[in-house]
């Protein structure tokens, strides 16, 4: 029961784990026997393409955009800000209450600026990774901007959008 509590409590948190890639075959397999996946696209029958997709997933990274208020609360709960807030409270007990009010307003505005810059940075990273901006609500529009790469599948070189690459694809890195 304690494992169930731990797994349900940590279910929502992002986590990283090491994937096992097929790298332990003999060198002869990679040099002579592997000819890429046996299907040219995702619509046909395949012996290796779909199982590989199920195990490793798609070549996409989902970066959630946290709400601004959440980032601001994180900033306001930092130890340095709490210490500064304590100092403001001490100054307000003395005759420096005007200085304390000005400092409190300045601190709050600074923390809002830092939280906003963090939010903008995550948004920019998200747009860069996913391709496109949040103003475009259609996912297909965002995917149109994805990089198209040359990939070896089914004993021939084909062009595939980068988000459709999977483990085992051989990608050409030579510029056209």
């Amino acid at each position: 029961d304690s494992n169930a509590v731990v797994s349900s409590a940590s279910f929502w948190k992002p986590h990283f784990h090491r994937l096992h890639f097929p790298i332990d075959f003999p060198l002869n397999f990679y040099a002579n026997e592997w000819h890429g996946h046996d299907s040219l696209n995702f619509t046909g029958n395949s012996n290796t393409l779909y199982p590989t997709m199920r195990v490793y997933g798609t070549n996409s990274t989902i970066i959630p955009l946290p709400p601004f208020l959440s980032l601001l609360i994180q900033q306001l709960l930092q130890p340095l800000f709490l210490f500064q807030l304590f100092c403001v409270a001490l100054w307000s007990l003395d005759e420096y209450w005007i200085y304390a009010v000005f400092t409190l307003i300045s601190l709050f505005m600074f923390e809002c600026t830092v939280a906003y810059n963090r939010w903008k940075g995550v948004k920019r990273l998200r747009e860069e990774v996913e391709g496109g901006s949040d103003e475009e609500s259609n996912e297909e529009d965002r995917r149109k901007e994805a990089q198209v790469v040359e990939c070896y599948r089914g004993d021939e070189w084909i062009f595939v959008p980068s988000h459709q690459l999977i483990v085992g694809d051989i990608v050409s890195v030579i510029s056209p």
Side-chain angles (χ1 to χ4, degrees), residues 60 129-131 138-146 161 163:
S60 62
V129 168
E130 293 180 358
N138 191 356
E139 184 175 335
E140 290 177 12
D141 291 341
R142 282 190 264 145
R143 291 294 183 200
K144 286 178 187 173
E145 297 179 15
H163 65 276

Side-chain angles (χ1 to χ4, degrees), residues 1-56:
D1 285 332
S2 65
N3 289 340
V5 172
V6 170
S7 65
S8 66
S10 63
F11 175 74
W12 62 273
K13 294 181 182 177
H15 61 282
F16 295 95
H17 57 88
R18 185 178 296 271
L19 291 175
H20 176 70
F21 293 102
I23 59 172
D24 46 359
F25 293 117
L27 188 59
N28 187 21
F29 173 80
Y30 299 108
N32 301 326
E33 297 176 25
W34 180 248
H35 300 289
H37 294 288
D38 56 355
S39 177
L40 298 180
N41 55 34
F42 287 87
T43 59
N45 249 345
S46 173
N47 292 332
T48 61
L49 191 63
Y50 288 123
T52 304
M53 283 180 55
R54 276 197 309 270
V55 171
Y56 298 106

Side-chain angles (χ1 to χ4, degrees), residues 20-155:
H20 176 70
F21 293 102
I23 59 172
D24 46 359
F25 293 117
L27 188 59
N28 187 21
F29 173 80
Y30 299 108
N32 301 326
E33 297 176 25
W34 180 248
H35 300 289
H37 294 288
D38 56 355
S39 177
L40 298 180
N41 55 34
F42 287 87
T43 59
N45 249 345
S46 173
N47 292 332
T48 61
L49 191 63
Y50 288 123
T52 304
M53 283 180 55
R54 276 197 309 270
V55 171
Y56 298 106
T58 60
N59 187 29
S60 62
T61 303
I62 298 170
I63 301 175
L65 184 63
F68 172 75
L69 189 59
S70 170
L71 292 175
L72 181 61
I73 289 172
Q74 285 178 3
Q75 284 298 122
L76 296 179
L77 294 178
Q78 294 297 317
L80 181 62
F81 180 77
L82 294 176
F83 172 74
Q84 290 172 330
L85 196 62
F86 176 71
C87 291
V88 165
L90 289 179
W91 288 329
S92 65
L93 294 176
D94 204 7
E95 57 192 45
Y96 300 112
W97 66 272
I98 294 175
Y99 174 72
V101 169
F102 176 74
T103 304
L104 181 64
I105 292 170
S106 299
L107 286 172
F108 185 73
M109 290 182 64
F110 174 74
E111 296 300 332
C112 286
T113 304
V114 170
Y116 180 70
N117 284 334
R118 284 179 58 198
W119 182 81
K120 267 184 17 184
V122 171
K123 183 178 178 184
R124 193 176 320 122
L125 177 67
R126 180 181 176 193
E127 290 170 1
E128 197 63 34
V129 168
E130 293 180 358
S133 63
D134 284 340
E135 286 78 35
E136 298 171 342
S137 59
N138 191 356
E139 184 175 335
E140 290 177 12
D141 291 341
R142 282 190 264 145
R143 291 294 183 200
K144 286 178 187 173
E145 297 179 15
Q147 180 92 17
V148 177
V149 295
E150 195 171 8
C151 165
Y152 190 70
R153 279 189 194 164
D155 289 331

Side-chain angles (χ1 to χ4, degrees), residues 34 36-37 49 151-153 160 164-171:
W34 180 248
H37 294 288
L49 191 63
C151 165
Y152 190 70
R153 279 189 194 164
V160 177
Q164 289 183 358
L165 290 174
I166 57 174
V167 174
D169 283 338
I170 301 169
V171 178

